[in-house]
Amino acid sequence: MTIRDTPEEWEIRATQTPFVGNKTSVRTDDVVMPGGTVVHRDYQVHPGSVAVLALDDEGRVLVLRQYRHPVRHKLWEIPAGLLDVPGENPLHAAQRELYEEAHVKAGDWRVLTDVYTTPGGCDEAVRIFLARDLSEADGDRFEVEDEEADMELSRVSVTELVSGVLAGELHNNCLVVGVLSLVAAEQGDGLDALRPAEAPWPARPFES
């Protein structure tokens, strides 16, 4: 038996969108359950995101510390951002985020993993890339604003990050999943065996 997630869609009798925000919205669907009952399911509709685990030649990961108001914490994270344009190539979005948040470019890109961050209450899908062969980006630095204007940038060893994750000291979803996936890949078939950077992504289809 192969363990894999499979697409499926139960019948929806009615749907409403009681809230529309700047980037996301809230939807209420009346979904038919297997026994025939109809229940309300509220969830956030999200455009999708990309994240970048940027690994330098010394085995350190590029991380950012940023204030996240919903959880009232400054979190250590890896560079990430929204898929602002429908159908946008996620690799291009990841390259943009790495430049804007860290002024870094990478010569080698792979897909590290794909995740649904909170599938019980949000349809957000995230593609986490592995970026290697790092160097400083060309041109001027991107002008940041709001929470990003207070960001801190650092490079931290994989070992230290893993220890922080397992100690309950690091909580950002993409950082946790990305770092642990990196270690699993290194101990498995190796990083060069990861999927190519433009591998298909059914959760957020795109054009090359």
Side-chain angles (χ1 to χ4, degrees):
M1 178 180 176
T2 300
I3 302 298
R4 65 170 55 184
D5 298 334
T6 55
E8 184 169 336
E9 186 168 355
W10 292 358
E11 180 185 354
I12 298 173
R13 292 280 175 85
T15 185
Q16 297 179 353
T17 306
F19 171 79
V20 177
N22 185 31
K23 297 292 184 181
T24 66
S25 60
V26 173
R27 183 175 297 164
T28 300
D29 290 340
D30 293 345
V31 186
V32 181
M33 297 289 106
T37 59
V38 179
V39 300
H40 296 300
R41 288 292 177 261
D42 302 321
Y43 59 100
Q44 183 185 22
V45 179
H46 194 285
S49 306
V50 291
V52 184
L53 193 145
L55 185 68
D56 69 16
D57 293 339
E58 298 180 31
R60 301 173 303 174
V61 176
L62 192 156
V63 289
L64 309 163
R65 189 168 183 246
Q66 183 173 349
Y67 177 67
R68 294 300 188 182
H69 185 70
V71 296
R72 308 302 199 271
H73 270 71
K74 273 192 171 182
L75 300 179
W76 284 104
E77 308 178 350
I78 56 177
L82 298 175
L83 290 168
D84 294 314
V85 181
E88 181 178 16
N89 187 310
L91 173 60
H92 299 166
Q95 291 169 333
R96 181 186 69 237
E97 292 300 331
L98 186 59
Y99 158 71
E100 290 182 357
E101 295 193 349
H103 200 66
V104 166
K105 63 182 179 180
D108 184 87
W109 289 83
R110 312 276 172 145
V111 174
L112 188 54
T113 190
D114 299 322
V115 295
Y116 291 115
T117 55
T118 49
C122 179
D123 70 352
E124 180 183 16
V126 180
R127 169 156 281 188
I128 304 176
F129 289 91
L130 171 65
R132 294 180 292 175
D133 186 18
L134 306 183
S135 60
E136 186 173 355
D138 302 323
D140 297 330
R141 286 186 174 272
F142 182 77
E143 291 190 16
V144 295
E145 58 184 11
D146 300 328
E147 289 91 343
E148 293 182 351
D150 188 51
M151 283 195 311
E152 302 171 46
L153 177 65
S154 187
R155 297 192 183 203
V156 180
S157 71
V158 173
T159 300
E160 186 175 349
L161 291 174
V162 170
S163 296
V165 168
L166 298 181
E169 297 169 348
L170 299 172
H171 306 89
N172 176 263
N173 182 289
C174 291
L175 183 147
V176 171
V177 173
V179 167
L180 298 185
S181 295
L182 174 72
V183 173
E186 289 177 328
Q187 295 178 353
D189 294 332
L191 301 183
D192 290 335
L194 291 168
R195 287 174 290 161
E198 299 211 36
W201 189 19
R204 293 294 185 272
F206 64 92
E207 295 182 5
S208 299

